[in-house]
Amino acid sequence: MHERHSARPSDTTSAPQLPRQDEARLDALDAALINRLQTSIPLQPRPFEQIGKELGCSESLVLLRLRRLLSEGVLSRIGPLFQIERAGGLFVLAAMQVPEAQFEAVTAQLNAIPEVAHNYRRDHALNMWFVLATETPEEISGVCAHIESLTGLQVLAFHKEREYFVGLRLEARAHAWSDHDGFEQQQGQGHD
């Protein structure tokens, strides 16, 4: 199967549209695995064995693919989502106004703090948003104070008033170049 490129008949000098350099190149198994993991992970002693059966491959191949996707940065993490309040902790959404010249440095500082679950840039005066997670509600103010002393910037903490459950799933698609070969070749290599 070949990738299709659209070009007008008179536009014969335009270069074919190539995948962006930062795009992940997934084969059919990669895409199926990513899509499967976005629904749930079986609560059993060998969850990846069950997922392998569902996808028609071995547990070892599932684990091999996951390690590769994580090491290549295609996936940043695989893990559960908790309602931390039920375990006695607290989530707080926080924001800061970070001068552009400091943005990368502040990002690195936040990423090194264990209580920062994730952070992201917004096109707004409050351009750095992040989620804080602490084991107890009382720890939040201490973490905010630590970030303020570290960065010299004010942290605005927004406590949750109401909880919404959003089933966000991003569909992964296989690239046509490897849709057939990559999956079948590696299927045989991963069996126990």
Side-chain angles (χ1 to χ4, degrees), residues 33 37 48 62-70 75 78:
L33 182 56
L37 290 173
F48 297 111
V62 168
L63 294 171
L64 179 73
R65 290 299 185 102
L66 289 176
R67 284 188 203 104
R68 182 177 54 75
L69 292 168
L70 288 165
L75 299 177
I78 300 169

Side-chain angles (χ1 to χ4, degrees), residues 34-148:
I34 291 169
N35 291 329
R36 171 60 186 83
L37 290 173
Q38 291 186 70
T39 56
S40 66
I41 294 180
L43 291 175
Q44 59 187 53
R46 301 188 74 135
F48 297 111
E49 181 180 58
Q50 175 60 38
I51 290 173
K53 285 178 184 173
E54 294 172 25
L55 299 177
C57 63
S58 68
E59 175 187 39
S60 60
L61 182 56
V62 168
L63 294 171
L64 179 73
R65 290 299 185 102
L66 289 176
R67 284 188 203 104
R68 182 177 54 75
L69 292 168
L70 288 165
S71 71
E72 292 175 354
V74 175
L75 299 177
S76 59
R77 106 181 242 281
I78 300 169
L81 294 175
F82 297 102
Q83 283 190 290
I84 198 167
E85 291 86 355
R86 291 187 180 183
L90 186 67
F91 276 135
V92 166
L93 180 63
M96 294 192 302
Q97 186 172 2
V98 181
E100 194 58 38
Q102 293 178 249
F103 200 88
E104 284 189 33
V106 171
T107 300
Q109 289 172 315
L110 289 183
N111 287 343
I113 297 172
E115 291 85 359
V116 175
H118 59 271
N119 62 63
Y120 52 96
R121 178 192 290 263
R122 294 190 81 179
D123 186 19
H124 186 270
L126 297 172
N127 56 352
M128 171 72 78
W129 288 76
F130 50 99
V131 172
L132 297 173
T134 56
E135 291 183 16
T136 66
E138 296 77 24
E139 291 176 84
I140 285 292
S141 60
V143 174
C144 290
H146 173 64
I147 293 170
E148 288 181 345

Side-chain angles (χ1 to χ4, degrees), residues 143-165:
V143 174
C144 290
H146 173 64
I147 293 170
E148 288 181 345
S149 91
L150 194 66
T151 63
L153 302 169
Q154 182 183 15
V155 175
L156 300 174
F158 303 100
H159 292 264
K160 179 170 49 180
E161 294 181 1
R162 182 183 296 177
E163 189 159 326
Y164 296 91
F165 294 93

